[in-house]
Amino acid sequence: MTARLAPRRRHSLLAGRRAAKLALRHVLPGTASRSVRILPGVLDQPVVSGGGAENLQVTLSHAGSLAVAVAHAEACPIGVDLDLPSPEHRAALFEQTSETERRLAAAALDVDEDRRLITLWCLKEALSKALRCGLTVPFGVLEIASLVREGQGVRAQFVNFGQYVGLGVCTAGPSFAVVMPRTVAWTLADGSDPMTTTAQWLAEAASRPPIPIRTAHPSGRAPVGTGPIEGLQVVVPAEGFEPPTP
């Protein structure tokens, strides 16, 4: 399927697929990657089957040679998005955001306009993935109601979907967003701040040059974390999303 794509697009698509398999392997230890299938749904969303992955799904995103994926229970919808700022996309992104959203971003993010716009885009696209509708709805339906600075990122609430919360991380390279139910907490086992850790992962991964696709990881196994994985620059969360402790 990927053979007919341009090399850069093929690299990005394979990075996303690899990140998704790693995320699933993290919650299904001992499962062979080849036994799990990730196929496109009717809206091109990833659909997981096989390998004991019943009631599990994955959300993923890729930009250039970077990719991120989160495996989650079907009962706990999550969406992620990852993208790179580009001045040539400024006009299009401006049209897909409201004046209120741009004002909120300017107040919460001390970065240039391109990075503010791409962070807004990531938050809204991540919401569309959590809703499993993708970008088939008017962007106004996904409108952001509030943005509050939180560590190295922002916390977002949405006008029409108060049951969800969005977390956005804006770096000198890519921006990242995750949207999940308000009743779910994002925690790391070592107690570190997830937003800060994600920002560090993204900055580190973005600073590394892409590795040729045919170069295999020397160990033959792909570690969970940030780094070259079978010739791909992949960013995979080392921890999952866990319910808040009572």
Side-chain angles (χ1 to χ4, degrees), residues 5-244:
L5 298 175
R8 182 173 296 182
R9 175 63 177 167
R10 178 172 178 264
H11 194 166
S12 183
L13 186 65
L14 290 174
R17 183 181 300 174
R18 183 61 175 166
K21 293 234 176 176
L22 285 172
L24 287 163
R25 194 170 70 180
H26 185 65
V27 297
L28 294 170
T31 300
S33 295
R34 290 181 180 274
S35 68
V36 179
R37 302 184 71 194
I38 302 172
L39 301 172
V42 294
L43 298 177
D44 282 334
Q45 80 276 18
V47 177
V48 180
S49 65
E54 288 76 14
N55 299 318
L56 280 178
Q57 289 302 329
V58 67
T59 176
L60 64 90
S61 183
H62 46 86
S65 57
L66 299 177
V68 63
V70 173
H72 60 91
E74 287 185 337
C76 181
I78 293 173
V80 297
D81 196 55
L82 176 73
D83 217 330
L84 295 162
S86 174
E88 63 191 54
H89 297 151
R90 185 182 303 154
L93 292 175
F94 194 90
E95 290 180 359
Q96 298 298 340
T97 54
S98 68
E99 181 179 350
T100 298
E101 289 174 323
R102 294 191 294 273
R103 176 176 51 79
L104 291 170
L109 291 168
D110 187 21
V111 294
D112 59 54
E113 184 180 38
D114 289 330
R115 287 182 171 81
R116 295 197 301 267
L117 289 172
I118 202 64
T119 302
L120 290 172
W121 171 274
C122 286
L123 283 163
K124 296 171 85 167
E125 185 163 4
L127 173 61
S128 78
K129 292 177 180 180
L131 296 172
R132 303 302 289 269
C133 64
L135 300 180
T136 61
V137 298
F139 255 55
V141 174
L142 309 171
E143 186 172 358
I144 295 169
S146 67
L147 281 178
V148 178
R149 185 77 184 184
E150 186 169 303
Q152 293 194 8
V154 289
R155 176 178 290 267
Q157 294 182 330
F158 302 95
V159 171
N160 298 306
F161 299 96
Q163 67 271 44
Y164 287 96
V165 63
L167 299 174
V169 176
C170 182
T171 73
S175 287
F176 165 80
V178 57
V179 170
M180 54 193 172
R182 293 174 60 87
T183 53
V184 173
W186 183 10
T187 62
L188 297 182
D190 63 3
S192 61
D193 175 54
M195 305 278 270
T196 301
T197 301
T198 299
Q200 292 170 347
W201 284 339
L202 292 172
E204 179 185 353
S207 68
R208 298 181 181 182
I211 297 173
I213 278 180
R214 293 181 181 176
T215 301
H217 190 274
S219 69
R221 297 187 61 188
V224 175
T226 303
I229 298 174
E230 293 198 357
L232 306 174
Q233 292 287 346
V234 179
V235 182
V236 183
E239 297 294 332
F241 291 82
E242 303 171 0

